[in-house]
Amino acid sequence: MEHIDIQEIWKQNEVLLEQSRKFNVELLKEVKIDKAKSSLKGLLFLPISTLLFYTLVASYAMYFAVVNYDYWYFIFSGLLITFFSVWFIISSIKQLKIILSLDYNKEIIKIQEDLSKIKLAIVKNLRIAAWLLPFGPFIGLFLVKAILNIDLMEIIDFKMLITFGVTTVVLEIISFLILRALRPKNINKKWLNCLLMGNGSQVNDAIDFLQDIKTFQENNK
Amino acid sequence: MKLAPISNNIEIVALIEENKRLIYKVVHSYCSNRNEQEDLIQEIIFQIIKSYKTFNHKVKVTTWMYKIAFNVAISNYRKISNRKKYFVEMPSKVVKVEETYNDDMDEKIKQLRLFIQEFDPLNKAIVIMYLDGNSHSEISKVMGISVSNVGTKIGRIKKQLQKKFKK
């Protein structure tokens, strides 16, 4: 089959497609585009909600650290939570920047890469949370003081101290395992799907497609 | 971003009307369900209208429209965007898809449609632009890959299509 024949068939296909579709120009003129919602707006929810939440958390954590300046462990826990909150905020802003600058009028490879990266944002957020895990005992001190106004360090005994130490070690191991699991090649694990809040298949799809794009860009003869 | 009512912009309506075949071909190649085709056509039209304000008139209209149409179609194909999709207040659809297949349709057309649908989303875009008679340079601008890479892929695609037709 010569390629000219294929192109002839393609032209016939084009005519057939046009015959089976009715394009209403008058209706198009009436369309109220400003009331239309782009399907991309659905992608904004996660970064905006993350940004707002962690802005509040960071603000409170800073206030907490200042108000409890007499106690080094409260200053440390407050600053720690502020640091990680700012990390989440920066990550959310980067995601928002990608989403808001998405312009379908750009090269296909660039846009599809950006869209896939947006889908991997949930993995980024989980990785940040995994880094926070080893500091669990300090988060506990912060939360108990913030919510119940109890200074756990005043009632701590040797046994509790040992428990804190063991907890820290265990959380460090868990953190390490999660960080390893969240690497692209390891993402396809069933238990991880729970951690990804049911978005595991979307994440897998995004990772696979990024690999497809990389292969597509290679000029393999 | 608030957009001017489209009725004020006769140019874009005329451009869409003039190039509607391009949109049909892309949609039909990425989407076989009739209802989804109508939704996809509307999403593409919406994105074209939205992008028109920043359209660089030095670029070919078809190049610009191909980029938008393929990006929307591929994203839809991969279900990237939320399925609570594009919604516009109007009494009926801008484009009605009446039928997908005609019993009298040439067998070769059916086969070609099927073969094109078998390509992955990125190569599908190259197939469509190649069959539309676009140069390697134009395809390269739309895809964002080198001209030589386009040439290699077209060579491979031609062989694959010929092989499929011979079977």
Side-chain angles (χ1 to χ4, degrees):
Chain A
M1 173 69 66
E2 296 171 4
H3 85 262
I4 292 171
D5 286 341
I6 294 176
Q7 286 184 314
E8 191 50 45
I9 299 166
W10 182 247
K11 280 180 190 160
Q12 291 169 23
N13 175 54
E14 186 179 304
V15 170
L16 208 61
L17 283 175
E18 193 168 3
Q19 282 169 0
S20 64
R21 277 148 180 82
K22 280 196 178 152
F23 187 77
N24 192 328
V25 176
E26 292 311 310
L27 202 55
L28 183 62
K29 288 178 187 169
E30 289 170 25
V31 163
K32 297 179 182 68
I33 293 298
D34 55 341
K35 289 189 181 172
K37 289 172 189 162
S38 168
S39 57
L40 284 176
K41 288 209 171 165
L43 295 172
L44 291 171
F45 175 74
L46 181 65
I48 289 179
S49 55
T50 306
L51 180 66
L52 289 173
F53 178 73
Y54 282 103
T55 302
L56 288 170
V57 170
S59 307
Y60 180 75
M62 279 297 294
Y63 161 77
F64 180 92
V66 166
V67 158
N68 295 287
Y69 69 92
D70 288 334
Y71 305 96
W72 70 267
Y73 41 87
F74 284 143
I75 295 174
F76 180 74
S77 57
L79 291 178
L80 188 72
I81 289 170
T82 304
F83 173 78
F84 278 94
S85 299
V86 168
W87 195 351
F88 274 112
I89 289 167
I90 293 171
S91 174
S92 301
I93 290 172
K94 282 183 183 170
Q95 289 160 37
L96 276 172
K97 208 176 151 193
I98 295 175
I99 295 169
L100 293 173
S101 66
L102 270 174
D103 180 359
Y104 279 139
N105 182 20
K106 290 193 180 146
E107 289 85 15
I108 292 170
I109 294 294
K110 173 83 177 75
I111 294 300
Q112 298 306 320
E113 267 180 342
D114 284 348
L115 283 169
S116 294
K117 282 174 187 170
I118 288 165
K119 279 293 168 183
L120 293 178
I122 192 170
V123 175
K124 278 190 185 154
N125 288 348
L126 277 175
R127 288 182 67 90
I128 296 172
W131 277 108
L132 182 59
L133 265 181
F135 300 99
F138 286 100
I139 308 296
L141 281 177
F142 171 88
L143 286 172
V144 171
K145 178 66 178 171
I147 298 169
L148 302 171
N149 200 24
I150 294 172
D151 182 350
L152 274 179
M153 292 298 277
E154 285 181 356
I155 54 175
I156 200 165
D157 58 14
F158 185 71
K159 278 186 188 170
M160 278 179 74
L161 205 59
I162 297 293
T163 309
F164 267 20
V166 170
T167 306
T168 302
V169 171
V170 168
L171 288 172
E172 279 179 17
I173 294 168
I174 294 172
S175 168
F176 173 74
L177 290 172
I178 290 175
L179 284 168
R180 266 190 75 174
L182 288 174
R183 283 184 298 176
K185 62 176 182 177
N186 293 332
I187 289 238
N188 192 16
K189 301 243 188 294
K190 285 182 184 168
W191 63 267
L192 203 53
N193 198 38
C194 293
L195 211 58
L196 293 168
M197 291 175 281
N199 289 320
S201 61
Q202 288 183 47
V203 168
N204 279 330
D205 176 62
I207 290 167
D208 287 344
F209 198 58
L210 280 169
Q211 185 54 47
D212 289 344
I213 288 171
K214 195 178 165 197
T215 309
F216 186 79
Q217 286 175 296
E218 287 162 8
N219 190 3
N220 296 321
K221 296 204 174 187
Chain B
M1 179 172 83
K2 230 184 172 177
L3 298 160
I6 189 174
S7 56
N8 290 351
N9 201 337
I10 305 166
E11 287 170 18
I12 186 59
V13 173
L15 279 178
I16 292 171
E17 163 70 13
E18 200 178 303
N19 292 284
K20 61 187 179 204
R21 286 185 180 187
L22 182 161
I23 299 172
Y24 295 163
K25 281 180 280 191
V26 171
V27 165
H28 198 269
S29 300
Y30 282 89
C31 195
S32 48
N33 176 280
R34 196 186 309 171
N35 289 329
E36 288 189 6
Q37 284 178 1
E38 290 183 12
D39 285 347
L40 184 54
I41 289 173
Q42 295 199 120
E43 174 74 18
I44 290 172
I45 289 174
F46 169 71
Q47 294 295 342
I48 287 172
I49 295 164
K50 197 166 155 240
S51 296
Y52 188 63
K53 279 197 173 184
T54 55
F55 172 47
N56 178 0
H57 290 267
K58 290 177 189 170
V59 172
K60 270 175 77 174
V61 170
T62 49
T63 303
W64 171 65
M65 279 199 185
Y66 271 127
K67 281 183 194 171
I68 295 171
F70 282 128
N71 273 321
V72 175
I74 292 171
S75 306
N76 175 78
Y77 181 87
R78 297 180 48 231
K79 302 287 187 283
I80 289 292
S81 45
N82 195 317
R83 278 306 288 168
K84 284 185 195 171
K85 281 213 166 253
Y86 169 70
F87 175 77
V88 173
E89 288 180 12
M90 55 185 178
S92 59
K93 301 279 177 67
V94 167
V95 174
K96 270 188 140 7
V97 177
E98 289 189 334
E99 59 187 53
T100 310
Y101 286 108
N102 184 332
D103 284 342
D104 295 337
M105 182 169 46
D106 194 300
E107 188 60 32
K108 291 275 185 286
I109 297 178
K110 274 188 199 170
Q111 284 180 321
L112 182 59
R113 285 183 178 182
L114 194 63
F115 297 155
I116 289 173
Q117 293 205 342
E118 285 171 1
F119 282 100
D120 63 82
L122 295 171
N123 278 303
K124 206 177 285 194
I126 293 189
V127 171
I128 292 168
M129 281 191 286
Y130 159 66
L131 290 174
D132 275 351
N134 290 282
S135 67
H136 290 196
S137 170
E138 286 302 315
I139 297 174
S140 159
K141 282 177 197 165
V142 171
M143 296 304 298
I145 56 174
S146 68
V147 174
S148 66
N149 200 351
V150 169
T152 305
K153 290 189 188 321
I154 286 176
R156 212 176 285 150
I157 285 166
K158 276 157 70 173
K159 279 184 193 164
Q160 284 175 344
L161 283 174
Q162 284 168 11
K163 216 171 155 181
K164 286 176 196 261
F165 270 108
K166 275 180 188 166
K167 277 186 184 172

